[in-house]
Amino acid sequence: MFDTLHEWFWWDRIWLPVNLTWADLEDRDGRVYAKASHLYVTVPYAFAFLLIRYLFERWIATPLAFSVGIKQKINLKAEDNPILEAYYTTQYRKPSQADIDGLSKKSSLSVRQVERWFRRRRSQDRPGVLKKFREASWRFVFYLFAFIGGTTALYDKEWFYDTQEVWMGFPKQSMLESQYWYYILELSFYGSLLFSVAFDVKRKDFQEQIIHHLATLVLLSFSWCVNYIRIGTLVMLVHDASDVLLESAKLFNYAKWEKTCQTLFVLFAIVFMVTRLIIFPFWLIHCTWVYPVHHYPAFFGYYFFNVMLVVLLCLHIFWAYLILCMIRKFMIGSVSMLQIIPMVPEKAGISLNTHLML
Protein backbone atom coordinates (compact mmCIF):
# COMPACT_ATOMS: atom_id res chain seq x y z
CA MET A 1 0.00 0.00 0.00
CA PHE A 2 2.85 2.37 0.84
CA ASP A 3 4.42 1.74 -2.56
CA THR A 4 1.10 2.48 -4.25
CA LEU A 5 0.71 5.77 -2.38
CA HIS A 6 4.29 6.68 -3.18
CA GLU A 7 3.78 6.02 -6.90
CA TRP A 8 0.53 7.98 -6.92
CA PHE A 9 2.02 10.93 -5.04
CA TRP A 10 4.98 11.18 -7.40
CA TRP A 11 2.94 10.54 -10.54
CA ASP A 12 4.42 12.54 -13.40
CA ARG A 13 1.08 14.00 -14.48
CA ILE A 14 0.59 15.68 -11.09
CA TRP A 15 3.95 17.39 -10.92
CA LEU A 16 5.10 17.84 -14.50
CA PRO A 17 3.65 18.98 -17.86
CA VAL A 18 2.48 16.41 -20.38
CA ASN A 19 5.19 14.42 -22.23
CA LEU A 20 7.67 15.04 -19.41
CA THR A 21 8.78 12.54 -16.77
CA TRP A 22 11.11 12.57 -13.78
CA ALA A 23 13.69 10.92 -16.01
CA ASP A 24 13.91 14.18 -17.95
CA LEU A 25 15.09 15.92 -14.79
CA GLU A 26 17.99 13.60 -14.07
CA ASP A 27 21.39 15.28 -13.92
CA ARG A 28 23.14 14.98 -17.29
CA ASP A 29 25.12 16.98 -19.83
CA GLY A 30 26.38 19.33 -17.15
CA ARG A 31 22.86 20.21 -16.00
CA VAL A 32 22.00 19.91 -12.30
CA TYR A 33 18.35 19.80 -11.20
CA ALA A 34 16.66 20.25 -7.84
CA LYS A 35 15.51 17.01 -6.22
CA ALA A 36 13.03 16.32 -3.45
CA SER A 37 15.74 14.48 -1.50
CA HIS A 38 17.63 17.77 -1.18
CA LEU A 39 14.87 19.06 1.11
CA TYR A 40 15.73 16.60 3.89
CA VAL A 41 18.67 18.78 4.86
CA THR A 42 16.30 21.63 5.80
CA VAL A 43 15.20 19.77 8.96
CA PRO A 44 18.62 19.74 10.69
CA TYR A 45 19.25 23.21 9.29
CA ALA A 46 16.00 24.41 10.91
CA PHE A 47 17.19 23.16 14.29
CA ALA A 48 20.56 24.77 13.61
CA PHE A 49 18.73 28.05 13.06
CA LEU A 50 17.02 27.60 16.44
CA LEU A 51 20.41 27.13 18.11
CA ILE A 52 21.91 30.14 16.30
CA ARG A 53 18.85 32.17 17.26
CA TYR A 54 19.23 31.22 20.91
CA LEU A 55 22.89 32.25 20.94
CA PHE A 56 22.16 35.45 19.01
CA GLU A 57 19.33 36.51 21.31
CA ARG A 58 21.35 35.76 24.42
CA TRP A 59 24.75 37.18 23.49
CA ILE A 60 23.93 39.92 20.98
CA ALA A 61 20.27 40.98 21.11
CA THR A 62 19.99 41.11 24.91
CA PRO A 63 23.09 43.30 25.48
CA LEU A 64 21.92 45.51 22.61
CA ALA A 65 18.50 45.87 24.27
CA PHE A 66 20.12 46.81 27.58
CA SER A 67 22.29 49.40 25.81
CA VAL A 68 19.18 51.24 24.51
CA GLY A 69 17.47 51.17 27.90
CA ILE A 70 15.24 48.10 27.58
CA LYS A 71 15.09 46.10 30.80
CA GLN A 72 13.58 42.78 31.79
CA LYS A 73 10.25 43.44 33.44
CA ILE A 74 9.56 41.23 36.45
CA ASN A 75 5.87 40.52 36.93
CA LEU A 76 4.34 39.38 40.19
CA LYS A 77 3.69 35.67 40.04
CA ALA A 78 0.21 34.39 40.74
CA GLU A 79 -0.01 32.04 43.70
CA ASP A 80 -0.39 28.35 42.97
CA ASN A 81 -4.07 27.49 42.79
CA PRO A 82 -5.04 24.30 40.90
CA ILE A 83 -8.71 25.30 40.57
CA LEU A 84 -8.04 28.72 39.06
CA GLU A 85 -5.15 27.42 36.97
CA ALA A 86 -7.36 24.69 35.48
CA TYR A 87 -9.98 27.26 34.52
CA TYR A 88 -7.35 29.61 33.08
CA THR A 89 -5.68 27.00 30.90
CA THR A 90 -8.76 25.09 29.72
CA GLN A 91 -11.49 27.71 29.45
CA TYR A 92 -11.04 31.48 29.55
CA ARG A 93 -8.28 33.88 30.52
CA LYS A 94 -10.87 36.56 31.34
CA PRO A 95 -13.74 34.93 33.25
CA SER A 96 -17.16 36.56 33.40
CA GLN A 97 -18.48 37.94 36.68
CA ALA A 98 -20.69 34.89 37.14
CA ASP A 99 -17.71 32.59 36.66
CA ILE A 100 -15.65 34.66 39.10
CA ASP A 101 -18.37 34.25 41.73
CA GLY A 102 -18.40 30.47 41.13
CA LEU A 103 -14.61 30.21 41.25
CA SER A 104 -14.62 32.24 44.46
CA LYS A 105 -16.78 29.63 46.15
CA LYS A 106 -14.79 26.68 44.77
CA SER A 107 -11.40 28.10 45.73
CA SER A 108 -12.49 29.60 49.08
CA LEU A 109 -11.12 32.98 47.99
CA SER A 110 -12.87 36.32 47.90
CA VAL A 111 -14.06 37.74 44.61
CA ARG A 112 -11.36 40.41 44.78
CA GLN A 113 -8.66 37.80 45.37
CA VAL A 114 -9.87 35.78 42.34
CA GLU A 115 -9.83 38.90 40.16
CA ARG A 116 -6.32 39.76 41.36
CA TRP A 117 -5.14 36.20 40.67
CA PHE A 118 -6.35 36.35 37.05
CA ARG A 119 -4.75 39.76 36.51
CA ARG A 120 -1.41 38.47 37.74
CA ARG A 121 -1.75 35.23 35.77
CA ARG A 122 -2.42 37.14 32.55
CA SER A 123 0.51 39.40 33.32
CA GLN A 124 2.78 36.35 33.64
CA ASP A 125 1.91 35.28 30.09
CA ARG A 126 2.23 38.76 28.63
CA PRO A 127 5.56 38.96 26.79
CA GLY A 128 7.87 41.72 27.90
CA VAL A 129 9.50 44.30 25.66
CA LEU A 130 12.85 42.54 25.99
CA LYS A 131 11.46 39.31 24.55
CA LYS A 132 9.84 41.18 21.66
CA PHE A 133 13.07 43.08 20.99
CA ARG A 134 15.09 39.86 20.83
CA GLU A 135 12.65 38.23 18.40
CA ALA A 136 12.54 41.30 16.16
CA SER A 137 16.35 41.52 16.21
CA TRP A 138 16.70 37.93 15.03
CA ARG A 139 14.19 38.36 12.22
CA PHE A 140 15.73 41.66 11.16
CA VAL A 141 19.19 40.12 10.84
CA PHE A 142 17.92 37.15 8.82
CA TYR A 143 15.75 39.23 6.48
CA LEU A 144 18.55 41.73 5.92
CA PHE A 145 21.03 39.03 4.92
CA ALA A 146 18.37 37.18 2.90
CA PHE A 147 17.48 40.32 0.94
CA ILE A 148 21.12 41.21 0.30
CA GLY A 149 21.92 37.62 -0.66
CA GLY A 150 18.86 37.33 -2.90
CA THR A 151 19.63 40.60 -4.67
CA THR A 152 23.24 39.53 -5.21
CA ALA A 153 22.10 36.19 -6.64
CA LEU A 154 19.51 37.69 -9.00
CA TYR A 155 20.64 41.13 -10.14
CA ASP A 156 22.59 39.78 -13.16
CA LYS A 157 19.93 37.27 -14.28
CA GLU A 158 17.75 37.90 -17.35
CA TRP A 159 14.55 36.85 -15.57
CA PHE A 160 15.12 39.50 -12.90
CA TYR A 161 14.32 42.16 -15.51
CA ASP A 162 12.11 40.23 -17.94
CA THR A 163 9.72 37.73 -16.32
CA GLN A 164 9.11 35.96 -19.66
CA GLU A 165 12.67 34.65 -19.34
CA VAL A 166 11.53 32.67 -16.28
CA TRP A 167 10.05 30.02 -18.56
CA MET A 168 12.63 29.93 -21.34
CA GLY A 169 13.87 26.35 -21.57
CA PHE A 170 11.60 25.14 -18.75
CA PRO A 171 11.79 22.62 -17.16
CA LYS A 172 15.31 21.82 -18.29
CA GLN A 173 16.86 24.75 -16.44
CA SER A 174 20.02 23.88 -14.57
CA MET A 175 20.04 24.86 -10.91
CA LEU A 176 22.64 27.40 -9.83
CA GLU A 177 24.53 27.11 -6.54
CA SER A 178 23.21 30.51 -5.43
CA GLN A 179 19.64 29.32 -6.06
CA TYR A 180 20.27 26.17 -4.03
CA TRP A 181 21.45 28.05 -0.95
CA TYR A 182 18.81 30.77 -1.26
CA TYR A 183 16.06 28.13 -1.23
CA ILE A 184 17.55 25.86 1.42
CA LEU A 185 18.21 28.69 3.87
CA GLU A 186 14.75 30.23 3.37
CA LEU A 187 13.06 26.84 3.83
CA SER A 188 15.14 26.12 6.92
CA PHE A 189 14.35 29.51 8.42
CA TYR A 190 10.60 29.14 7.95
CA GLY A 191 10.82 25.63 9.31
CA SER A 192 12.48 27.03 12.43
CA LEU A 193 9.68 29.62 12.77
CA LEU A 194 7.12 26.83 12.61
CA PHE A 195 8.99 24.87 15.30
CA SER A 196 9.27 27.94 17.55
CA VAL A 197 5.72 29.23 17.16
CA ALA A 198 4.70 27.57 20.44
CA PHE A 199 7.05 29.71 22.54
CA ASP A 200 7.25 32.87 20.41
CA VAL A 201 5.20 35.96 21.23
CA LYS A 202 1.52 35.18 20.61
CA ARG A 203 -0.20 37.82 18.50
CA LYS A 204 -3.72 38.42 17.30
CA ASP A 205 -2.96 36.97 13.87
CA PHE A 206 -1.65 33.68 15.33
CA GLN A 207 -3.83 31.51 13.05
CA GLU A 208 -2.79 33.52 9.99
CA GLN A 209 0.84 32.97 11.02
CA ILE A 210 0.38 29.20 11.02
CA ILE A 211 -1.40 29.30 7.65
CA HIS A 212 1.36 31.52 6.31
CA HIS A 213 4.20 29.28 7.51
CA LEU A 214 2.56 26.14 6.13
CA ALA A 215 1.66 27.80 2.81
CA THR A 216 5.21 29.09 2.53
CA LEU A 217 6.80 25.71 3.18
CA VAL A 218 4.41 23.90 0.82
CA LEU A 219 4.84 26.49 -1.92
CA LEU A 220 8.62 26.58 -1.67
CA SER A 221 8.89 22.79 -1.53
CA PHE A 222 6.57 22.34 -4.51
CA SER A 223 8.34 24.97 -6.61
CA TRP A 224 11.64 23.27 -5.75
CA CYS A 225 10.47 19.82 -6.83
CA VAL A 226 9.02 20.94 -10.19
CA ASN A 227 11.95 23.25 -10.94
CA TYR A 228 9.96 26.47 -10.56
CA ILE A 229 13.10 27.85 -8.97
CA ARG A 230 13.42 31.01 -11.03
CA ILE A 231 9.98 32.32 -10.12
CA GLY A 232 10.43 31.06 -6.56
CA THR A 233 13.53 33.19 -6.01
CA LEU A 234 11.74 36.25 -7.40
CA VAL A 235 8.81 35.74 -5.03
CA MET A 236 11.14 35.35 -2.06
CA LEU A 237 13.05 38.52 -2.91
CA VAL A 238 9.86 40.56 -3.31
CA HIS A 239 8.66 39.49 0.13
CA ASP A 240 12.03 40.01 1.83
CA ALA A 241 12.04 43.66 0.76
CA SER A 242 9.42 44.82 3.29
CA ASP A 243 10.37 42.37 6.05
CA VAL A 244 13.58 44.25 6.83
CA LEU A 245 11.76 47.56 7.25
CA LEU A 246 9.02 46.13 9.47
CA GLU A 247 11.40 44.46 11.90
CA SER A 248 13.68 47.51 12.04
CA ALA A 249 10.66 49.72 12.79
CA LYS A 250 9.74 47.39 15.65
CA LEU A 251 13.25 47.58 17.07
CA PHE A 252 13.19 51.37 17.19
CA ASN A 253 9.66 51.25 18.57
CA TYR A 254 10.75 49.06 21.50
CA ALA A 255 13.67 51.45 22.07
CA LYS A 256 11.15 54.38 21.96
CA TRP A 257 12.91 56.21 19.12
CA GLU A 258 9.61 57.56 17.82
CA LYS A 259 10.78 59.69 14.87
CA THR A 260 12.99 56.93 13.47
CA CYS A 261 10.18 54.46 14.05
CA GLN A 262 7.70 56.68 12.18
CA THR A 263 10.02 57.03 9.18
CA LEU A 264 10.68 53.31 8.94
CA PHE A 265 7.01 52.44 9.32
CA VAL A 266 6.02 54.81 6.50
CA LEU A 267 8.72 53.27 4.30
CA PHE A 268 7.52 49.80 5.26
CA ALA A 269 3.91 50.62 4.39
CA ILE A 270 4.93 52.01 0.99
CA VAL A 271 7.21 49.08 0.15
CA PHE A 272 4.60 46.59 1.41
CA MET A 273 1.85 48.03 -0.79
CA VAL A 274 4.10 48.22 -3.84
CA THR A 275 5.68 44.77 -3.53
CA ARG A 276 2.73 42.77 -2.14
CA LEU A 277 -0.23 44.42 -3.88
CA ILE A 278 1.30 45.56 -7.16
CA ILE A 279 4.47 43.67 -8.10
CA PHE A 280 3.37 40.34 -6.61
CA PRO A 281 -0.04 40.06 -8.34
CA PHE A 282 0.55 42.05 -11.54
CA TRP A 283 4.06 40.86 -12.33
CA LEU A 284 4.71 37.58 -10.56
CA ILE A 285 1.27 35.94 -10.47
CA HIS A 286 0.76 37.19 -14.03
CA CYS A 287 4.07 35.54 -14.89
CA THR A 288 3.02 32.18 -13.39
CA TRP A 289 -0.55 32.31 -14.77
CA VAL A 290 -0.12 33.61 -18.33
CA TYR A 291 3.33 32.75 -19.64
CA PRO A 292 3.63 29.01 -18.76
CA VAL A 293 0.74 27.96 -21.05
CA HIS A 294 2.70 29.43 -23.98
CA HIS A 295 5.30 26.70 -23.42
CA TYR A 296 3.24 23.69 -22.26
CA PRO A 297 -0.40 22.71 -21.57
CA ALA A 298 -1.77 23.50 -18.12
CA PHE A 299 -1.49 20.63 -15.62
CA PHE A 300 -2.34 20.01 -11.96
CA GLY A 301 0.90 21.49 -10.64
CA TYR A 302 0.30 24.67 -12.65
CA TYR A 303 -3.10 25.19 -11.01
CA PHE A 304 -1.87 24.16 -7.55
CA PHE A 305 1.04 26.60 -7.62
CA ASN A 306 -1.13 29.51 -8.72
CA VAL A 307 -3.83 28.75 -6.15
CA MET A 308 -1.19 28.82 -3.40
CA LEU A 309 0.06 32.18 -4.67
CA VAL A 310 -3.49 33.51 -4.56
CA VAL A 311 -3.80 32.30 -0.94
CA LEU A 312 -0.74 34.37 -0.11
CA LEU A 313 -2.21 37.34 -1.98
CA CYS A 314 -5.37 37.09 0.14
CA LEU A 315 -3.23 37.21 3.29
CA HIS A 316 -1.45 40.26 1.88
CA ILE A 317 -4.77 42.01 1.32
CA PHE A 318 -5.87 41.15 4.85
CA TRP A 319 -2.67 42.54 6.36
CA ALA A 320 -2.74 45.61 4.10
CA TYR A 321 -6.24 46.37 5.37
CA LEU A 322 -5.03 46.18 8.98
CA ILE A 323 -2.04 48.39 8.22
CA LEU A 324 -4.24 51.02 6.56
CA CYS A 325 -6.60 50.96 9.55
CA MET A 326 -3.67 51.59 11.87
CA ILE A 327 -2.37 54.43 9.72
CA ARG A 328 -5.83 55.98 9.75
CA LYS A 329 -5.88 55.90 13.55
CA PHE A 330 -2.49 57.58 13.59
CA MET A 331 -3.58 60.27 11.11
CA ILE A 332 -6.66 61.24 13.11
CA GLY A 333 -4.58 61.32 16.29
CA SER A 334 -6.36 58.59 18.23
CA VAL A 335 -3.11 56.64 18.76
CA SER A 336 0.61 57.37 18.51
CA MET A 337 3.04 55.56 16.23
CA LEU A 338 4.57 53.83 19.27
CA GLN A 339 1.14 52.27 19.90
CA ILE A 340 0.64 51.31 16.25
CA ILE A 341 3.85 49.35 15.60
CA PRO A 342 3.18 46.57 18.17
CA MET A 343 -0.24 46.09 16.55
CA VAL A 344 1.21 45.34 13.12
CA PRO A 345 0.73 41.63 12.35
CA GLU A 346 3.98 39.72 12.80
CA LYS A 347 3.69 38.17 9.38
CA ALA A 348 2.62 41.30 7.55
CA GLY A 349 6.24 41.50 6.60
CA ILE A 350 6.49 37.86 5.55
CA SER A 351 5.14 35.59 2.85
CA LEU A 352 6.89 33.02 0.59
CA ASN A 353 9.07 34.07 2.27
CA THR A 354 5.93 34.88 6.45
CA HIS A 355 8.37 35.45 7.58
CA LEU A 356 6.33 32.54 2.62
CA MET A 357 5.22 34.68 6.67
CA LEU A 358 3.40 33.74 6.70
Side-chain angles (χ1 to χ4, degrees):
M1 181 177 178
F2 177 79
D3 292 339
T4 302
L5 290 174
H6 182 270
E7 291 178 4
W8 179 86
F9 182 79
W10 292 107
W11 185 33
D12 300 336
R13 295 289 66 78
I14 293 179
W15 297 81
L16 301 174
V18 66
N19 297 328
L20 283 171
T21 66
W22 292 113
D24 295 313
L25 296 182
E26 293 292 334
D27 296 347
R28 63 169 66 90
D29 300 328
R31 294 180 180 271
V32 178
Y33 298 106
K35 298 176 180 61
S37 58
H38 292 159
L39 299 179
Y40 294 139
V41 74
T42 61
V43 177
Y45 279 13
F47 285 104
F49 265 119
L50 291 177
L51 176 60
I52 295 171
R53 172 183 172 177
Y54 170 78
L55 296 175
F56 173 85
E57 290 185 357
R58 180 168 182 176
W59 298 107
I60 298 178
T62 299
L64 180 61
F66 291 158
S67 70
V68 295
I70 298 174
K71 303 297 182 182
Q72 178 69 58
K73 183 179 179 181
I74 301 176
N75 296 318
L76 292 175
K77 185 177 180 180
E79 297 177 357
D80 293 333
N81 191 305
I83 296 175
L84 300 183
E85 183 67 26
Y87 182 93
Y88 181 87
T89 55
T90 61
Q91 297 190 47
Y92 302 105
R93 297 179 59 179
K94 294 183 178 180
S96 64
Q97 190 60 49
D99 289 336
I100 290 177
D101 293 338
L103 291 169
S104 175
K105 296 177 181 178
K106 290 181 180 179
S107 61
S108 300
L109 298 174
S110 67
V111 170
R112 188 172 181 179
Q113 287 176 317
V114 172
E115 291 174 340
R116 184 186 301 117
W117 188 93
F118 275 95
R119 284 197 301 270
R120 289 183 176 179
R121 186 65 181 83
R122 288 192 298 269
S123 181
Q124 281 181 223
D125 288 346
R126 191 176 299 119
V129 176
L130 180 59
K131 179 177 176 61
K132 293 179 181 179
F133 185 91
R134 288 192 298 233
E135 286 189 14
S137 299
W138 167 244
R139 290 190 170 97
F140 168 76
V141 169
F142 176 82
Y143 297 142
L144 179 61
F145 280 102
F147 181 71
I148 293 173
T151 303
T152 303
L154 292 171
Y155 83 97
D156 60 344
K157 306 298 186 297
E158 299 88 346
W159 58 88
F160 183 70
Y161 305 96
D162 181 5
T163 53
Q164 294 192 53
E165 291 291 332
V166 166
W167 306 106
M168 292 299 176
F170 177 85
K172 297 182 179 181
Q173 299 169 337
S174 184
M175 178 179 63
L176 304 176
E177 185 177 2
S178 59
Q179 293 173 325
Y180 172 86
W181 285 111
Y182 194 16
Y183 252 84
I184 293 299
L185 292 178
E186 288 276 355
L187 276 165
S188 301
F189 177 74
Y190 283 104
S192 71
L193 290 184
L194 193 61
F195 293 152
S196 66
V197 73
F199 55 84
D200 281 343
V201 175
K202 296 291 190 302
R203 300 182 185 270
K204 293 181 179 179
D205 65 334
F206 177 77
Q207 293 181 343
E208 287 81 5
Q209 289 184 44
I210 299 298
I211 294 173
H212 175 272
H213 292 334
L214 291 174
T216 297
L217 290 171
V218 170
L219 190 53
L220 284 175
S221 299
F222 178 84
S223 63
W224 175 269
C225 291
V226 298
N227 211 27
Y228 276 13
I229 293 179
R230 289 184 179 181
I231 186 62
T233 53
L234 290 177
V235 174
M236 288 190 290
L237 185 66
V238 163
H239 288 82
D240 282 335
S242 59
D243 295 344
V244 178
L245 294 170
L246 174 61
E247 299 304 331
S248 60
K250 289 182 177 181
L251 290 176
F252 285 104
N253 171 66
Y254 299 141
K256 299 191 183 303
W257 291 25
E258 187 167 6
K259 290 185 178 180
T260 306
C261 174
Q262 289 177 358
T263 302
L264 289 170
F265 184 76
V266 171
L267 289 174
F268 158 73
I270 294 172
V271 172
F272 183 91
M273 300 301 172
V274 172
T275 57
R276 307 298 182 88
L277 301 185
I278 298 178
I279 295 178
F280 182 64
F282 296 110
W283 268 266
L284 300 187
I285 293 183
H286 178 268
C287 170
T288 62
W289 195 272
V290 176
Y291 298 150
V293 293
H294 295 166
H295 299 272
Y296 55 81
F299 64 108
F300 173 81
Y302 163 84
Y303 293 112
F304 176 79
F305 187 75
N306 280 288
V307 167
M308 294 300 293
L309 289 181
V310 172
V311 169
L312 290 177
L313 178 60
C314 291
L315 289 174
H316 296 166
I317 295 172
F318 167 74
W319 285 317
Y321 168 75
L322 294 181
I323 292 170
L324 291 175
C325 288
M326 296 170 194
I327 293 176
R328 178 178 175 274
K329 291 181 180 180
F330 172 71
M331 295 297 291
I332 64 178
S334 60
V335 295
S336 69
M337 186 60 72
L338 293 180
Q339 292 173 300
I340 285 179
I341 295 294
M343 298 163 60
V344 178
E346 190 66 36
K347 295 297 162 269
I350 307 176
S351 198
L352 234 178
N353 240 227
T354 137
H355 239 167
L356 167 298
M357 59 223 312
L358 171 120

